[in-house]
Amino acid sequence: MNNKSVLFITQAAVIAAIYVVLTHIANTLGLANQAIQVRFSEALTILPYFTPAAIPGLFVGCIIANITTGCMPLDTVFGSIATLLGALGTYYIAHGLKKPTDPGFYPSNKVKTWLSPVPPILANTIIVPFVIKYVYGSEGTIPFFMLTVGIGEIISCFVLGMILLFALNKRKDAIFYGQ
């Protein structure tokens, strides 16, 4: 195993561990598993902007956090898939958009930065309401749960995530060394 592989696995493991800890903190405060879920850990979904190691780190962290906070098995599966899709989307926005021959259609780095939290917001807003309704049998409609989950995701991913992005961006070369 080369140094780059070890670094990738280490970064993914640290991200997973931080995700679990932050989810437990939000859960202790009663914020992680309600209709409006403000999981502090979801702010980490911005990390694929910096490193691809965040993708498996967030996915595994979400699985572990959901299991250890007592979520139902289908919530663990579909909630973790939502986090994975969001992480993949964030990485694609930050790194996958190739510059076309017509630069007028290519988003600037500033636009890509501000779009980075959108995939996890959308993935969770679309998937999690069905989990709340059909796995937990909560009273309410899918559009209502989309609204409440969306509000929580905007707080977690956009507000907290962008604060984290701008804070980390100043030290990204030192923190995400080797990417």
Side-chain angles (χ1 to χ4, degrees):
M1 188 177 284
N2 65 28
N3 288 342
K4 199 162 184 130
S5 297
V6 171
L7 181 62
F8 183 91
I9 292 168
T10 302
Q11 287 179 349
V14 168
I15 290 167
I18 294 169
Y19 189 99
V20 171
V21 169
L22 290 175
T23 300
H24 277 273
I25 291 170
N27 194 52
T28 300
L29 298 173
L31 299 171
N33 298 310
Q34 304 303 319
I36 296 182
Q37 301 178 8
V38 181
R39 280 190 173 192
F40 307 129
S41 51
E42 284 291 296
L44 300 177
T45 60
I46 202 69
L47 295 179
Y49 180 88
F50 299 106
T51 176
I55 298 168
L58 292 167
F59 181 59
V60 170
C62 188
I63 291 170
I64 294 169
N66 284 351
I67 291 169
T68 59
T69 58
C71 294
M72 299 287 287
L74 285 175
D75 185 3
T76 299
V77 170
F78 289 104
S80 300
I81 288 171
T83 297
L84 175 62
L85 292 173
L88 289 167
T90 297
Y91 183 81
Y92 180 76
I93 285 173
H95 303 282
L97 294 175
K98 302 297 181 209
K99 195 168 191 171
T101 54
D102 182 0
F105 292 106
Y106 185 72
S108 68
N109 283 340
K110 189 173 190 175
V111 170
K112 288 184 347 182
T113 299
W114 286 100
L115 287 176
S116 292
V118 172
I121 293 169
L122 290 177
N124 282 285
T125 300
I126 292 168
I127 295 170
V128 172
F130 290 94
V131 172
I132 294 170
K133 177 75 174 169
Y134 298 112
V135 174
Y136 293 103
S138 297
E139 296 288 326
T141 64
I142 296 297
F144 171 74
F145 292 133
M146 285 180 162
L147 175 67
T148 60
V149 170
I151 290 168
E153 287 297 309
I154 289 169
I155 294 167
S156 300
C157 300
F158 191 79
V159 175
L160 299 176
M162 291 307 287
I163 291 169
L164 180 62
L165 185 145
F166 288 118
L168 293 176
N169 201 36
K170 296 173 185 171
R171 305 274 301 145
K172 67 182 175 195
D173 295 330
I175 297 169
F176 302 105
Y177 176 79
Q179 297 303 317

